[in-house]
Every structure is written in structure tokens, then in C-alpha cells.
Amino acid sequence: MKVVMKFGGSLLASPGGIPRVSRVISKASKKMRVVVVISALDDVTDLLLHAATNARTWDSTQVIHFIDRIRGIHSQPLTEMELRQATYNEAVDHLEELLDDLKLTLSGVSILRELTPRSNDLLLSFGERLSLVVVSAGLRKAGIAIEALTGGDAGIVTDDSFGEASLEVTKTRRGVKEKLLPLLTKGVVPVVAGFIARSESGEMTTLGRGGSDYTATLLADAIAADEVWIWTDVDGILTADPRIVKSARVIEELSYAEAEEMGFFGAKNMHPLALAPARKAGIPVRIRNGFKPDRLGTLINPRERKSSAIAKSVALVGNVGIVTVSGETLVGRPGTAAKIFELLGKAGVNVLMISQSVSESNISAVVRKGSLERAASALSEGLSRVGISAGVKVEPDVSVLAVVGAGMQGTPGIAAKVFSAVAATGVNVRMIAQGSSELNISFVVASRDSEKAVKALHESVVLGK
Amino acid sequence: MTEEVRLIIVGFGVVARSLAGSLEARGEEFRRTRGIDFHLVAAVDSKSAAIDRNGLDVRELLRRKEETGRVGRRHLPATEIIEDTEADILVELTPANPLDAEPGMTHLKSAIKASKHVVTANKMPLAHEYPSLMASAESRGVQVRYSACVGAGLPILDFGDACAVSEPLLKVEGVLNATSNFVLSRMESDSSSFPEALEEAKKLGYAESNPWLDVDGVDSAAKIVIIANHTLKKSLTLKDVAIVEGIRRISPSRVKALREEGKKVRMVASVERRPEVRVLELPGGDPLSIDGACNVVKFHCKYSGERVVSGPAAGGVTTSSAVMRDLLRVGASIEGS
């Protein structure tokens, strides 16, 4: 059996995190062939993003101070692991070499006062590369035969559109196979820095929002792995946010489609992009808790198994608002909805949900609260410019509830059941939408009612009480 | 005729305690020989403050700090004390913060605004805003003295002033960070690696637990700004310094190879047009290739050539001697007024 295991940053950076991860890998590598993918240590990606935004205005001192913060995050676990002196020295040398490169990159940005997409990719790549140094040292100490590889070393090839590089699928499949399979045959565990790749011209590129999870699934696809295990610091994908719903529990099994719906609605799990290679190759993905390695977690696989319950989860997306365009001039005027989408798109506003009344006299869109004002002004200015006189209204304090599950597919009366569960709590539903896949029903309620509604829905449609 | 000179000390670490001890031990001497009667009217640390218009009991203050880690019982904001307490001189001794120079910066500005003289060993406010701080001090008619910011007790700025009396200075360069120089010397003398030598420096109290300010060149950069502004009459800030390289990446093998050629590697800060900090390979006979926890500065004078000042430059006691030097100078000027 071949398994690609990805370890998340919060797990790696937790106290005793790397020894814990080493035990998991050591145990697994005795029974199966393992490929390890690692993320950047906890906050490092955020720090690098912060640097990417700010380094233009930094002076030497600020660059040096930033480097020292990054050094601290990585040297602490190195010190705590009590490595042999030679291993420690080697790791520190390697770390300092990378920090030197990082300093050069940031100094370049601060001198030129400009961050090109290419330097941005290079900058962001340091998180996983630094993590690789620290994690590799820990795995070697645990007696695991490893080979440390960046994404490029492992054979992952992209085009060179920096910032949004696309995978060269065929070349990557071939490259990864050529690099990793011989290692696995020799009983060596390849340890691959996630998120990063290399362009054909040899430049550092990044894999975008799919991140390290994407690295794991695309490696799995290339080596025809049996499973992908995503090790994180939670028990798996849950039926609801446990901070709101006490009876929330782990979902044992999900289909790719269900997982993607949940990912889209911001549940703490995989980005839909990251799931795609596994889905296409039909490779099951497990979300597991590194703190409790005896638990099985959540299995995401091709089967759409309907459970007795109607839905598998209820997600709550807070911090959203509704912007509504209304007026008689909208009635019977083709292309208005398209115009609205276009205006919002140009203003960089992402639309989560949309609904239009049958009378066509109003159209509402749900957007993130942070972009609500931008959405409203883009619409009122943009529509009047093309001669559509319409009122634009915003409602800031609303939340989206998303009920997800294959059990809703082709089952009549589901919407009614979901509604009556909400109605029984006396909560007023402001908007509703069901995806054409019938895998989810989403609706909008006032934020003050949202937790009550989540609890009620979880009881009735997830637990089936 | 003795003149009463009232002091506020803000920041109560090693330098402040050493200074307070000297004020106590040598108070009588200063009254007799200089006619200056120092009164410590307020002491502030990060957690507390002690105030007494008639002068604090310094022995009691030091004992309390030793026992409780605090100078006083109550927490009071330093800026309020600086603005509201009747005093002549603010002695600013808070730790160097290279990022925004706080809280020292606010303390200095408050003192200047309240028409108090300033004596400081905290180099960062000056490194960040030397030109504007000195301009506002001048407009308020107060003195800002800072010889302890450079060279600990080694009178580098005075030496530079003396060089500049009769001719222009063209260039200044020097080894300004004693900790880094100790580390490099140690790497040379017993072939230790950078981390080993740094560990040694920490044990001996030369290096902080997080030494980035020293070994990455920021401390040297701040000092060259102050030296350049003071002796070359420039208007520089820390932002103007190119910190090219610190000493972290110097390997034992490089040190060894240089030794065989009779050379040494040193972190040198310099200013001619642009200020910079970089690692240089120097011939053994170069005055800048000094050993140990020392500083050395070379002033390039237009007619008389190179003038060099050097010596040990680390530790709270030597630094407090420079603060004392500044206090006596300000005190003498108050007496005359």
C-alpha cells in the first residue's frame, strides 16, 4: 500500500509536534510505503504574506528583525529536539543559508520598492523550505530513512506564470514517478515541501490556494497512491462548528462532491482545488487528527453514500451582508443580472449567493461584509451609468447557513423539512438558494438568529431527531 | 556655592543601578569639588515609579529594586512624570528598541517639550530621529547629551570633536559592536564556530539571549548614524544605513584561511557619503583589527591623516561612567546659568 501523508503547520508547530509526527510516520512506514508532504510551520505563511505586502517600505533594520522572527520560529523546535551536535549544526547551517536567501529577497524588494510576481512566489516558498529543514532533522533523529525534497526536486513542474502557475500535468506525473518510485522501492521516505514547485526554466513557483494539500493529492495521482491522509489538529470534518453545537460529531464518510461543497462554505477542510487530483484519480482522502492517530477521522471517497439523516453538516458563514438592487426598470430587461455580476466582478467582490424575485423587480447578492460597501457603490454608480435607475440597499448583519449532504438529492420535500426546522425556532429566513447538484441548501438569516438556527438544523436534519 | 541639579532616571537596568550607586557614593565629592548637588527626584522602571521632590533615598531605592524587582510600589506613566515632576535633567536609560525606538523616543520628546535637559544611553531614538530631536532641543534651549550611546565608556565622540577642531573630517570607520568583536576574536583564537563563540559571549554577559541587534549589524548601524551626525555634521537616520552583512555566516574555515594569510575578518561600520555596515577582511596590522570586547574608530582627517581611538567598550559600569560624564557637563552649565 502506498500512502501520501500531509502534515499541517499547526500540528508541526505544536509543542512536541515534530517528534509526534515522527512517531506517526515511523509507525506507518513499517507497514506501507509513505510519501510525506509538509506545510510551513504555523504562522510562517501569514508572516511571509505580511512581508510580501509590506517589505517595499522596510529598511534594513526591519528586514533583519523580520528574519530574526522567522529564525526564532524554526530554531526553537530544532533546539527542543535535542539533536546530535553534528545533525544540529548541519540543520542550523542549512537554516541560516535559507535565511540569508530570504534576507536577500526582502532586501531586494525593499531597495527596488517593488515586489514582482516572481519575487512574491520566491518569498512565499521560504515557509515550506524552512519547515523542510526542521522537520527533516527531526525525522532523521527518529531513525527514519528520508530524502528531503522541494516540490521542484520531487518533480512537480508548472508553467512560469508566477503567482498563479498552472501545473504541467503530464510532465509532473512523469517527473514525480521517476523521482519518488525508486526511493519508495529502496524503503526511503520522500519528504516533500508542500505548496512549491518549479517552472520549466527552473524558477521557484507556488501552487496557489490549494497549497500543501494540493501537493499531496497531485503526488498521490502521479505515483498511483492508494490513499491520501491529511494529518491536522482536528478529528476530521465535523457535522457543525463544535463551538456552537455541542453535539457536533465527526463525519465518517463523505463524497468528493460533498467535501467540495463544505470546503467552499469555509468549513475547516480542504480547498476544492486541492481535492481535484484525488477526485479525478479516484483516490480516497482521509482527514485525521495527529494528536489522536488511533482515530480514523473522515474519509472522502468516490461513493455518495446516503445516510439515514438528510444532511451531513450545517456550516455557518458569518460576516456577510446582502446587497439588493430593486426597481421597476429591472423588470423584463434581459442582461441585468449579467450586468450586476460584471460590476461586482470588476470591483473585486466575490458573490456567495444570489437570488432574484419572480417579478424581476429585485435582485439580491450575498457578499463578504468587508466588501459590502464596495459592492453597493459599484452597483449604484455602474447601473446609473448604463441608464438603469434602481435603488441599492444593504443589510449588513446577516449570516449564511449551508446544509450539505447527498441525502438531499432527488428526495422530495427536503426544502420543506429544512424550512420547518428553522421556522419552528421562529427565525426569519431572508434568502434561500439550492445548488443544481442538490447537494446543498443555503439560506440567509439575521446574524443574531444564526446560532439558534444552526443548532435547530443540526438537531433535525443532521442528527435526524 | 553649590547648585542643586534634580534628576529623573527612566529605565532602571544595569546602567541605571551603576549610575545611582555612583551618585550615592560620590555625591559629597561632586558637591565639594564641582559645586554640583545631584538629587534624584524620580526613578521609573517598566513596572513602577518612585518620586520624592526632596530627593529619593538612593540606597533604599537600590535595595527595593534588588528585592522586589521594582523601584516603587505604584505604576505611573513615565511621560506624566517627565512632564510634571520639577527636575532639570531626564536620564533616559530604557532598552534600545530598533524598530520604533519606543518608549525612549516618547520620553525624549516629552522631556524636550517640558524644557528639560536630556542625558541618554539609549541610542535608538537618536538613530531614528537625530536631526529633528536636536532641532527641537535647540529651539527649546535644552541640551541633549549622548556620549554613552557610542563606545560605552570610551569617549569616541569627544575624540572625534577634538579631531575636528582644526580640520575637516572626511570619513569615519570603526568596529562599534563589542559583542560581535568578542565573538569574532573567539572564533580566531580557539577555532570555535559562530554558535559556540556566541554561547560563550552569552555566558560572560556580553551578549543578550537574543543577539540579533549585535551580530546582524543593527547596533553598529545606529552608532554610525550618531557618530556621523555628531562629528561629520550629517543629517542621517537609521533608514539611511545599508546593513550589508552581519557576522552570522562567517565560518570557522574562512576564519582559519584568513589567519593563515595574516588577516582578520571584522564587522566595520563606516560613513563617507553613505553609511554602511559590512564585514571586511583586514590585514593584521590594521588598527581596526582589534581583538576582544572592544571598539575602535578611525577618523580620517583632511590634513593630518588617520586618528584612532580604541579600547574596551562593554558593560554597564563603563557605560554609566559616560552617563556621569554627560551629567557633570550639563550640571556645570546649569550652575553657570
Side-chain angles (χ1 to χ4, degrees):
Chain A
M1 178 152 147
K2 282 184 295 213
V3 176
V4 177
M5 298 187 178
K6 179 248 162 176
F7 294 87
S10 55
L11 185 60
L12 293 169
S14 62
I18 294 170
R20 179 177 300 114
V21 164
S22 305
R23 287 194 292 277
V24 170
I25 295 170
S26 173
K27 199 172 156 195
S29 65
K30 291 185 180 106
K31 288 180 281 190
M32 54 186 95
R33 303 207 186 282
V34 178
V35 174
V36 170
V37 175
I38 56 157
S39 299
L41 298 187
D42 214 10
D43 300 331
V44 173
T45 305
D46 287 343
L47 286 173
L48 292 170
L49 284 167
H50 172 78
T53 329
N54 296 293
R56 267 169 291 230
T57 64
W58 285 356
D59 59 25
S60 295
T61 304
Q62 284 163 305
V63 170
I64 292 169
H65 179 250
F66 179 81
I67 299 292
D68 197 62
R69 272 183 84 180
I70 300 288
R71 174 183 292 114
I73 293 172
H74 294 87
S75 60
Q76 194 186 343
L78 271 184
T79 315
E80 281 169 3
M81 286 189 284
E82 296 181 348
L83 303 166
R84 277 190 308 122
Q85 195 60 44
T87 320
Y88 177 80
N89 289 349
E90 197 185 318
V92 168
D93 276 352
H94 198 169
L95 201 62
E96 290 297 340
E97 222 169 90
L98 283 171
L99 290 171
D100 244 18
D101 287 351
L102 175 57
K103 189 172 142 192
L104 272 180
T105 310
L106 287 173
S107 302
V109 173
S110 102
I111 288 164
L112 299 173
R113 307 248 171 254
E114 183 188 15
L115 179 70
T116 60
R118 178 213 200 109
S119 334
N120 190 54
D121 268 10
L122 180 60
L123 181 56
L124 294 181
S125 78
F126 280 98
E128 276 71 14
R129 288 157 76 198
L130 289 161
S131 174
L132 185 63
V133 173
V134 178
V135 177
S136 305
L139 295 180
R140 289 201 182 98
K141 179 189 152 89
I144 306 167
I146 63 155
E147 179 152 337
L149 305 162
T150 64
D153 297 339
I156 303 174
V157 186
T158 67
D159 62 12
D160 55 8
S161 32
F162 298 102
E164 45 187 50
S166 313
L167 194 68
E168 299 279 1
V169 179
T170 319
K171 284 175 189 147
T172 296
R173 275 205 191 113
R174 193 174 57 228
V176 169
K177 226 184 283 181
E178 277 170 12
K179 182 71 200 178
L180 299 193
L181 290 181
L183 291 174
L184 291 177
T185 313
K186 280 192 286 181
V188 172
V189 176
V191 180
V192 183
F195 180 57
I196 52 183
R198 194 177 288 155
S199 72
E200 282 181 276
S201 54
E203 302 272 356
M204 196 72 70
T205 54
T206 61
L207 294 173
R209 284 173 299 169
S212 303
D213 290 345
Y214 187 37
T215 303
T217 54
L218 70 88
L219 291 180
D221 167 53
I223 63 164
D226 297 282
E227 286 192 9
V228 174
W229 295 357
I230 306 290
W231 292 95
T232 169
D233 58 353
V234 294
D235 282 341
I237 300 177
L238 298 181
T239 52
D241 184 342
R243 285 168 303 185
I244 301 170
V245 181
K246 287 213 175 62
S247 54
R249 51 184 172 71
V250 176
I251 304 170
E252 283 172 21
E253 208 175 321
L254 277 175
S255 69
Y256 296 119
E258 287 171 320
E260 280 173 11
E261 293 281 356
M262 289 178 196
F264 182 76
F265 279 103
K268 190 187 173 184
N269 54 48
M270 293 181 77
H271 194 281
L273 278 178
L275 207 49
R279 180 182 194 166
K280 278 185 203 141
I283 302 170
V285 176
R286 277 182 199 281
I287 316 279
R288 303 186 63 174
N289 188 343
F291 290 96
K292 300 166 189 164
D294 48 319
R295 300 199 182 170
L296 288 175
T298 298
L299 176 66
I300 304 170
N301 66 16
R303 285 187 297 175
E304 242 164 41
R305 228 178 44 174
K306 292 186 188 179
S307 58
S308 54
I310 299 164
K312 289 195 175 154
S313 78
V314 186
L316 172 63
V317 185
N319 281 324
V320 298
I322 304 178
V323 54
T324 301
V325 179
S326 57
E328 285 70 40
T329 53
L330 301 181
V331 180
R333 186 175 178 139
T336 310
K339 189 73 205 166
I340 287 174
F341 268 119
E342 185 198 322
L343 290 169
L344 292 175
K346 270 190 189 152
V349 176
N350 190 24
V351 177
L352 299 178
M353 264 173 82
I354 190 151
S355 86
Q356 180 170 25
S357 66
V358 177
S359 72
E360 298 185 20
S361 66
N362 65 65
I363 299 179
S364 300
V366 176
V367 303
R368 302 268 174 210
K369 207 186 232 168
S371 47
L372 191 58
E373 289 306 322
R374 192 151 32 101
S377 58
L379 288 176
S380 50
E381 284 163 27
L383 289 174
S384 71
R385 217 177 303 130
V386 294
I388 301 174
S389 76
V392 176
K393 208 175 65 181
V394 297
E395 287 173 66
D397 295 310
V398 298
S399 298
V400 175
L401 300 184
V403 180
V404 179
M408 299 188 293
Q409 251 167 346
T411 316
I414 293 299
K417 241 184 189 162
V418 170
F419 265 125
S420 58
V422 179
T425 62
V427 170
N428 182 33
V429 174
R430 292 279 304 103
M431 252 172 88
I432 178 154
Q434 181 169 27
S436 56
S437 65
E438 293 186 61
L439 281 175
N440 92 66
I441 298 178
S442 329
F443 43 94
V444 179
V445 301
S447 286
R448 62 174 181 282
D449 294 331
S450 61
E451 296 200 356
K452 191 156 71 167
V454 169
K455 283 178 193 159
L457 277 172
H458 189 260
E459 280 289 297
S460 63
V461 301
V462 177
L463 298 181
K465 284 181 186 163
Chain B
M1 185 67 194
T2 52
E3 188 77 21
E4 190 179 292
V5 176
R6 295 155 301 175
L7 311 178
I8 300 171
I9 298 182
V10 178
F12 223 80
V14 181
V15 175
R17 291 197 293 259
S18 168
L19 177 71
S22 302
L23 286 172
E24 172 69 14
R26 300 178 64 192
E28 179 53 35
E29 175 196 337
F30 294 142
R31 269 191 293 277
R32 205 170 24 129
T33 62
R34 315 282 183 114
I36 298 173
D37 188 5
F38 286 118
H39 280 256
L40 180 58
V41 293
V44 187
D45 61 23
S46 57
K47 295 174 200 141
S48 67
I51 306 172
D52 191 332
R53 277 167 221 288
N54 301 317
L56 290 158
D57 179 341
V58 175
R59 224 173 285 170
E60 165 66 15
L61 187 76
L62 286 168
R63 191 190 54 77
R64 195 181 316 139
K65 180 73 183 174
E66 172 87 12
E67 283 171 9
T68 65
R70 291 169 160 76
V71 290
R73 289 190 186 81
R74 292 177 302 155
H75 177 78
L76 285 168
T79 44
E80 217 169 89
I81 292 172
I82 294 166
E83 279 163 20
D84 300 343
T85 311
E86 280 191 31
D88 303 291
I89 308 175
L90 165 70
V91 187
E92 220 293 330
L93 303 174
T94 57
N97 169 0
L99 296 179
D100 60 7
E102 294 297 352
M105 183 72 84
T106 302
H107 298 163
L108 255 64
K109 288 180 177 169
S110 303
I112 293 168
K113 205 173 113 204
S115 299
K116 292 181 170 80
H117 302 293
V118 174
V119 169
T120 181
N122 179 354
K123 62 188 83 72
M124 288 307 168
L126 294 166
H128 276 256
E129 293 186 24
Y130 185 101
S132 62
L133 283 171
M134 298 314 275
S136 63
E138 197 178 346
S139 73
R140 281 272 167 187
V142 297
Q143 301 175 46
V144 177
R145 289 193 176 264
Y146 44 83
S147 66
C149 293
V150 179
L154 192 65
I156 293 173
L157 297 175
D158 286 329
F159 185 88
D161 284 341
C163 292
V165 168
S166 58
E167 58 186 317
L169 302 179
L170 306 175
K171 179 182 177 182
V172 181
E173 55 183 336
V175 169
L176 298 175
N177 186 269
T179 305
S180 297
N181 212 57
F182 173 85
V183 169
L184 290 177
S185 307
R186 187 47 68 113
M187 289 173 72
E188 280 156 3
S189 63
D190 62 8
S191 310
S192 46
S193 67
F194 171 78
E196 287 161 355
L198 182 63
E199 213 38 59
E200 181 72 22
K202 283 183 192 174
K203 264 186 217 146
L204 292 170
Y206 290 135
E208 308 280 332
S209 63
N210 188 343
W212 71 278
L213 219 59
D214 294 324
V215 301
D216 291 328
V218 178
D219 176 79
S220 298
K223 286 169 176 166
I224 199 68
V225 166
I226 294 173
I227 296 175
N229 289 340
H230 183 94
T231 62
L232 302 185
K233 309 300 171 206
K234 302 243 179 200
S235 291
L236 299 173
T237 70
L238 189 54
K239 279 191 190 306
D240 300 317
V241 188
I243 305 175
V244 179
E245 196 186 355
I247 64 167
R248 245 181 238 277
R249 301 284 292 141
I250 297 174
S251 66
S253 55
R254 179 175 171 193
V255 169
K256 186 166 168 253
L258 285 171
R259 192 172 48 203
E260 280 158 13
E261 292 173 44
K263 287 183 177 172
K264 288 176 176 177
V265 61
R266 288 292 176 266
M267 183 163 70
V268 175
S270 63
V271 60
E272 191 167 4
R273 278 200 201 85
R274 280 209 64 190
E276 59 177 33
V277 177
R278 61 169 75 234
V279 166
L280 295 181
E281 294 177 357
L282 302 168
D286 193 305
L288 295 185
S289 69
I290 196 167
D291 287 329
C294 290
N295 279 184
V296 49
V297 181
K298 211 194 257 182
F299 292 92
H300 295 252
C301 308
K302 187 167 180 186
Y303 301 109
S304 61
E306 295 173 4
R307 303 272 179 215
V308 178
V309 57
S310 69
V317 178
T318 45
T319 306
S320 84
S321 74
V323 175
M324 187 63 92
R325 189 162 65 213
D326 286 347
L327 280 177
L328 288 165
R329 282 175 175 162
V330 179
S333 71
I334 292 172
E335 188 199 23
S337 65

